[in-house]
Amino acid sequence: MDLIKVIGLGVAGNFAGHLEQAGELESFKDVKVADARAPKAVFPFYLPAPSGRMSDSFLKVFPLSSSEIRIPAGEPDANLQPEPEVGVLTRIEYDGERQVRTLIPEYFGAYNDCSIRRPGAVKISTKKNWGTATKGFSSNMIRIDSFSPAGNIAGYRIASFLKRDGNLYEYGVDSAVNDYSYMYGELMAWIRDRMNNQKDEGPQENISEYLNLTGYPEYALISIGATRYTSFGEREYVRLGDVCYVVLYPQGMSHSEIAELVRTETWDRFDCISMLRQVVVQG
């Protein structure tokens, strides 16, 4: 599928502890949620073919790459921090009033919701898309047989690493997909509600308006939330020449086995792995 035609959305605050580590919790202090476990917001990171007043929006720039992360031009010391998570390619069905009726997850893959840490930025989206190759999605997507605790996605784990000067570091805490706060039907119902009803308030944006402006796209790529960082990942931003890895792997494989595949870059023989490898380059 040509992802340039797919609206890009993300879920903020769907993994316990991540917002605190990323220094983002303060941004959501006024966001009211009925359930303490619930994520905080849905945000846009890409709008396909925006029209009208969105024609000059930074969100019209396609930000996804499966090979690079670009440091913004003129900002060599920009604080860029990878965010390892699961990306879900989801079909959108609308009702007669152009409200989102159903979300149907079809594929999942390794995703890097790389963020630029900009203190004081109001909207989440301004930290998510600063040009081309500022996000990452694996070219090896895995078809979802059932988006439920009985489905294949439920048996996966998320790991992430950073290679610097030939040394490999653990960047995110190895986590089960089942560790997300909201998942499966509960998550899709919550996202559907936010797509239809979220207002333009504080860090939140009106997703329904964006769906209208983009011609009601048939698909969304939804990043469902970043995992927690290791102590290294929490303190270290990326540098020119670093290599970032996000790995989705079946829980029948061990973490040490995955780390060795990353170290030797020999994962290609495993179709069951969704690997994202991005080199940090200058924009």
Side-chain angles (χ1 to χ4, degrees):
M1 178 176 293
D2 185 359
L3 294 178
I4 203 167
K5 300 176 182 178
V6 173
I7 191 169
L9 303 173
V11 175
N14 194 26
F15 211 101
H18 172 78
L19 291 177
E20 292 89 335
Q21 286 186 313
E24 302 286 353
L25 191 61
E26 181 68 14
S27 300
F28 297 95
K29 64 180 182 179
D30 296 323
V31 175
K32 295 179 175 60
V33 293
D35 178 2
R37 293 187 306 113
K40 301 297 186 182
V42 169
F43 60 86
F45 66 82
Y46 171 63
L47 301 178
S51 58
R53 67 180 180 83
M54 295 299 299
S55 60
D56 295 326
S57 172
F58 65 94
L59 290 172
K60 73 179 181 180
V61 178
F62 184 69
L64 292 169
S65 171
S66 60
S67 60
E68 294 180 343
I69 286 289
R70 294 187 184 177
I71 297 173
E75 297 184 60
D77 298 321
N79 293 331
L80 306 186
Q81 196 168 26
E83 295 194 3
E85 52 192 279
V86 178
V88 180
L89 187 61
T90 304
R91 183 155 52 91
I92 309 171
E93 292 184 347
Y94 304 90
D95 64 20
E97 297 180 351
R98 291 296 194 175
Q99 292 280 290
V100 176
R101 181 181 63 198
T102 310
L103 294 172
I104 305 169
E106 294 187 352
Y107 291 88
F108 70 99
Y111 186 88
N112 178 6
D113 190 31
C114 192
S115 295
I116 185 167
R117 302 303 180 196
R118 287 175 166 154
V122 175
K123 298 299 185 186
I124 307 169
S125 59
T126 61
K127 310 169 191 179
K128 300 295 185 179
N129 184 338
W130 57 93
T132 58
T134 53
K135 293 253 145 317
F137 189 48
S138 174
S139 57
N140 181 28
M141 294 186 291
I142 299 171
R143 179 176 283 278
I144 294 170
D145 56 10
S146 172
F147 197 70
S148 73
N152 57 344
I153 189 172
Y156 271 76
R157 299 188 65 85
I158 312 160
S160 64
F161 306 86
L162 186 138
K163 186 178 288 184
R164 175 176 292 167
D165 300 325
N167 298 310
L168 190 68
Y169 301 92
E170 304 260 357
Y171 202 83
V173 175
D174 189 306
S175 305
V177 167
N178 285 334
D179 288 340
Y180 277 111
S181 298
Y182 271 30
M183 195 56 186
Y184 310 121
E186 183 179 44
L187 176 61
M188 289 297 118
W190 179 86
I191 294 173
R192 183 182 68 244
D193 175 77
R194 294 296 79 205
M195 292 172 77
N196 288 330
N197 300 307
Q198 185 169 281
K199 306 301 182 184
D200 188 358
E201 298 173 342
Q204 302 174 107
E205 296 177 62
N206 189 323
I207 305 301
S208 180
E209 182 179 2
Y210 290 148
L211 292 172
N212 177 284
L213 289 167
T214 54
Y216 297 100
E218 185 181 0
Y219 280 89
L221 176 59
I222 304 175
S223 58
I224 64 173
T227 60
R228 290 184 295 274
Y229 294 116
T230 63
S231 58
F232 177 87
E234 187 173 4
R235 70 174 185 267
E236 290 290 331
Y237 300 117
V238 299
R239 303 174 189 170
L240 191 65
D242 286 350
V243 185
C244 304
Y245 304 86
V246 180
V247 194
L248 296 186
Y249 69 96
Q251 59 189 10
M253 302 179 75
S254 69
H255 179 81
S256 59
E257 183 179 1
I258 294 302
E260 183 61 21
L261 291 176
V262 171
R263 185 175 292 105
T264 57
E265 302 208 344
T266 55
W267 56 78
D268 284 351
R269 65 184 187 273
F270 293 96
D271 292 337
C272 58
I273 292 176
S274 179
M275 171 67 72
L276 176 63
R277 177 190 188 274
Q278 294 174 287
V279 179
V280 179
V281 301
Q282 186 63 60

